[in-house]
Amino acid sequence: MKYKVGIVMGSDSDLHVIEKATSTLSSLGIEYEVHVYSAHRTPDEAAQFAMDAEKNGIGVIIAAAGMAAHLAGSLAARTTLPVIGIPCKSSNLGGIEALLSTVQMPSGIPVATVAIDGGVNAALLSAQILALGDPELAQKLKDHRKTQYEGVIAKDKAVAEKFNK
Ligand code: RP5
């Protein structure tokens, strides 16, 4: 069975972070659905999404939110699917408040937290989880690492040619 990734953002002002995740998922051929549900402004819709996620074919949830970011934790409280939290930079505190709100979950309800605005890594981590049951996806992730490796080697070569006479 192929699982979808369920992506939730607390506000459409988080969309630029989510687009980093969706483009990464698309490049790996992973299906996803995207919603705006807020832990504070639409708590019932957020909760219902989490409670229905498993039966709706979702295998991993990505939750992006800024400020007092309770979204990932509140979704995680309502499902045993893995939840990946993206703290978003959205206030005068630069995202550190969202990082701490997302990462500092009490024992019993984990949220796998990526970097502030870390949409790409959230997508890659969700892909790595889904790849446990999907050999084709596992191979795509290995290919992705190889491409990344070759890109950095090429950059080193270019920089060395310019500066290391
Ligand atoms: C959070 O508050 C959202 O995730 C967003 O990052 C932040 C600000 O939301 P808006 O006021 O821009 O809708 O709930």
Side-chain angles (χ1 to χ4, degrees):
M1 156 145 190
K2 297 263 187 198
Y3 292 100
K4 277 186 293 186
V5 174
I7 302 176
V8 184
M9 67 197 104
S11 165
D12 63 353
S13 63
D14 303 320
L15 198 51
H16 63 289
V17 177
I18 288 305
E19 281 169 345
K20 294 197 267 183
T22 55
S23 60
T24 302
L25 291 172
S26 295
S27 73
L28 292 166
I30 298 172
E31 286 188 27
Y32 53 82
E33 58 179 70
V34 183
H35 301 278
V36 177
Y37 294 138
S38 164
H40 307 120
R41 294 163 174 162
T42 58
D44 294 343
E45 285 74 6
Q48 198 62 52
F49 168 82
M51 289 189 288
D52 292 343
E54 202 170 331
K55 74 165 189 269
N56 286 337
I58 289 170
V60 183
I61 292 173
I62 293 175
M67 301 184 77
H70 299 117
L71 182 60
S74 71
L75 298 177
R78 294 178 170 87
T79 180
T80 51
L81 293 176
V83 175
I84 300 169
I86 311 175
C88 296
K89 182 178 175 180
S90 61
S91 76
N92 292 335
L93 297 179
I96 195 79
E97 77 288 28
L99 171 63
L100 296 177
S101 303
T102 305
V103 78
Q104 284 290 77
M105 287 297 291
S107 294
I109 307 293
V111 168
T113 305
V114 296
I116 295 169
D117 288 354
V120 172
N121 272 1
L124 289 173
L125 185 54
S126 68
Q128 288 175 213
I129 293 166
L130 296 181
L132 289 171
D134 184 340
E136 193 187 332
L137 179 55
Q139 185 57 51
K140 283 183 187 169
L141 283 166
K142 288 182 173 60
D143 294 344
H144 177 272
R145 283 282 172 99
K146 186 163 178 284
T147 304
Q148 184 171 253
Y149 170 85
E150 288 166 353
V152 176
I153 295 294
K155 284 176 188 165
D156 173 58
K157 193 160 175 276
V159 167
E161 275 166 14
K162 184 169 179 184
F163 295 103
N164 305 345
K165 303 289 180 201

